[in-house]
Amino acid sequence: MDPDFTRNVRPRRSNTMITESSEQRRAGRPPKRTRKSTPSAGEASTSGCKPAEYVARTIMSWLIDHGMIIENEKIYYVADREGDSDDRKQSKKEVLMKGRARREGVRCECCNEVMTVWDFETHAGSVIQRPYEHIHVARSNSSLLQCQFEVWQSNVEVERRTFNEIVPRNGASDKHDDACLICADGGDLICCEKCWSTSHLKCMGLERIPQGDWICPYCVCKHCNKNDKDLQTCVQCDKKYHCRCLVSNKELDLNASGETLACDSHCGEVYEKLQSLVGVKHELEGGFCWTLLQRMEPDNLEFKDLHLITECNSKIALAWEVLDECFTTIIDRHTQINVVQSVAYSRGSNLNRINFRGFYTAILEKNDDIISAATIRVHGTDLAEMPFIGTRHLYRQNGMSRMLLVTLESIFSVMGVEHLIIPSIQELTEMWEGKCGFSPIEDAVSQKITNWNTLTFPSAIRLQKALLSTPASSSSAVMNADVGVDVDEGVDMVSDNCAKLAGLDLNHEYTESGDEEAEDK
């Protein structure tokens, strides 16, 4: 090690010095290639699990909570009159069915039954399959689709999905991240010369400080490891690449548009398969269904199915509420962002470590009520990550998280993904290993992790699960398979102390009582 560097390295500080100013933290920063940061002992937790009285997490409930509709107010299903011209359709609408707005859906006036908005459309004799567009609020004459769009454009929702722009304080000489890109902890870090990312030598598999400039994996071409002005960004994994490298590797898809170019054929196939699943309901046994979600902006899409886009975005907001109910609030101590919220809304950032643009959210529903939610991100075919999965308290110990997890594992296998990784706390590693088939990270998988931006926490232990390869021809069967119902991990038995730890899945601790209940069923 360079003697000059050694003289400039300060000993690791204690965790009690978290209130010092950024100027104090940066004082005595080593030369250009390295830096010091306050080590992180875990993320802040302020809210905790909130098992209050159960309220359905449906789009109708969401609209009621935001004041767009009033519970029990009159609504009606309308359709264009048959035989009307296009000019008259806008003003000539036929009311097919009347009802009352409920959190669970709609109470029909003709039969007094409460049903989902989709069933209400069928009940009205319509086969359009766009209920939110054709169900109107009598008081305002606005469609439920318009109501959703107004909530989505409200200041609250816009703030939740805004790009996480991290700006250094005025006068700060150091713009680099205070935490490692790989492990999210502080300490002695080397700094990327092309972006604000930092890393531990050990996390990057380095024994000594590189001579010259060090450039992180997200600032060089994935194929040739060079950095220049001709780099493109992969639409799936955010890695950089040269088009000339794709040509030389015979992986350039000449039919792909500039917005959908991927760094290689594997990422391209994964991206296409994931996008084909977004917003599409897949039926499961027992009246359940699962859907893959990702925040979508109409201006950025080639197709203009406003109904699909609006419903998907509304369910993203609901999935966030489910996760917020299941998890303690996790605030990144270096950037002060809400981690779970940023992941659920797929928020991008100029800081690679908290760039969550590639995340999707999978939900499990019954009668349009979101029961479970999980956040996933796929890194080529190397690995997929699932930092959060949670089930609402009323449905716990009934196999809901297991149902969603098994479905996702099957989808990953269809895509050819080799491993699924998760962050776990020490108290729950035995459960994940014994009940869910996970195991400690192996060296080969650990090496892959150094090449990807994966979400973890300083107090977390990474676990892995090898995924079996499933033929693509069986993908339809996988999506609609009966995955069975198993014990759902004894959530209510988690101790208060565990519930305050970052990265804790409140729905994944099995108990003896839970196992007994499963056997009785």
Side-chain angles (χ1 to χ4, degrees), residues 49-69:
C49 187
K50 300 173 279 292
E53 182 180 355
Y54 187 85
V55 176
R57 295 295 185 192
T58 64
I59 290 178
M60 293 295 286
S61 181
W62 184 61
L63 294 176
I64 291 172
D65 288 339
H66 284 272
M68 295 304 300
I69 58 178

Side-chain angles (χ1 to χ4, degrees), residues 397 425 427-428 431-432 435 487-495 498 504-512 514:
Q397 297 186 340
I425 61 170
E427 288 84 346
L428 297 184
M431 180 282 301
W432 280 109
K435 300 293 185 179
V487 58
D488 198 30
E489 300 93 31
V491 183
D492 49 346
M493 302 302 291
V494 179
S495 68
C498 289
L504 171 64
D505 180 358
L506 298 178
N507 301 299
H508 277 268
E509 181 166 11
Y510 289 81
T511 63
E512 293 183 1

Side-chain angles (χ1 to χ4, degrees), residues 83-98:
D84 282 345
S85 64
D86 292 338
D87 294 336
R88 298 180 59 190
K89 281 182 179 179
Q90 195 66 25
S91 58
K92 296 288 186 178
K93 297 285 186 179
E94 180 181 3
V95 176
L96 300 184
M97 192 68 66
K98 295 180 180 180

Side-chain angles (χ1 to χ4, degrees), residues 42 100 126 156 204 307 368 379 454 511:
R100 298 277 180 167
S126 174
V156 173
M204 294 305 302
H307 193 278
D368 284 353
H379 303 281
T454 56
T511 63

Side-chain angles (χ1 to χ4, degrees), residues 89-266:
K89 281 182 179 179
Q90 195 66 25
S91 58
K92 296 288 186 178
K93 297 285 186 179
E94 180 181 3
V95 176
L96 300 184
M97 192 68 66
K98 295 180 180 180
R100 298 277 180 167
R102 304 291 297 174
R103 288 186 176 273
E104 300 84 1
V106 181
R107 181 182 293 277
C108 177
E109 284 195 353
C110 74
C111 62
N112 206 35
E113 293 290 332
V114 177
M115 59 192 72
T116 69
V117 293
W118 291 87
D119 289 339
F120 185 66
E121 180 182 57
T122 302
H123 192 53
S126 174
V127 293
I128 300 175
Q129 295 189 335
R130 301 172 75 87
Y132 296 108
E133 183 179 335
H134 291 272
I135 297 177
H136 288 243
V137 181
R139 171 175 50 87
S140 63
N141 200 33
S142 298
S143 70
L144 295 183
L145 195 69
Q146 292 172 311
C147 293
Q148 291 177 65
F149 186 77
E150 288 186 33
V151 176
W152 185 250
Q153 295 300 326
S154 66
N155 292 335
V156 173
E157 284 298 328
V158 170
E159 183 178 354
R160 287 176 177 175
R161 64 179 186 268
T162 300
F163 186 84
N164 279 322
E165 182 77 27
I166 307 302
V167 180
R169 295 185 181 182
N170 291 334
S173 60
D174 181 9
K175 298 180 179 180
H176 284 87
D177 194 1
D178 287 307
C180 174
L181 176 66
I182 306 301
C183 72
D185 205 352
D188 299 334
L189 304 168
I190 55 175
C191 304
C192 177
E193 297 298 331
K194 298 297 181 179
C195 72
W196 295 359
S197 297
T198 61
S199 179
H200 296 110
L201 290 174
K202 182 178 179 181
C203 289
M204 294 305 302
L206 301 174
E207 296 182 357
R208 58 176 61 89
I209 299 172
Q211 295 296 320
D213 295 341
W214 176 73
I215 303 177
C216 77
Y218 278 84
C219 291
V220 296
C221 174
K222 177 180 179 179
H223 303 283
C224 67
N225 289 323
K226 295 181 180 179
N227 174 277
D228 55 39
K229 297 179 180 180
D230 297 328
L231 289 173
Q232 306 292 323
T233 302
C234 178
V235 68
Q236 170 61 28
C237 70
D238 278 332
K239 284 290 190 71
K240 299 292 191 299
Y241 66 94
H242 293 116
C243 287
R244 62 176 181 269
C245 290
L246 294 186
V247 172
S248 62
N249 294 338
K250 298 182 180 181
E251 294 195 24
L252 180 62
D253 184 359
L254 298 179
N255 295 319
S257 66
E259 296 179 353
T260 58
L261 279 175
C263 63
D264 58 30
S265 59
H266 297 305

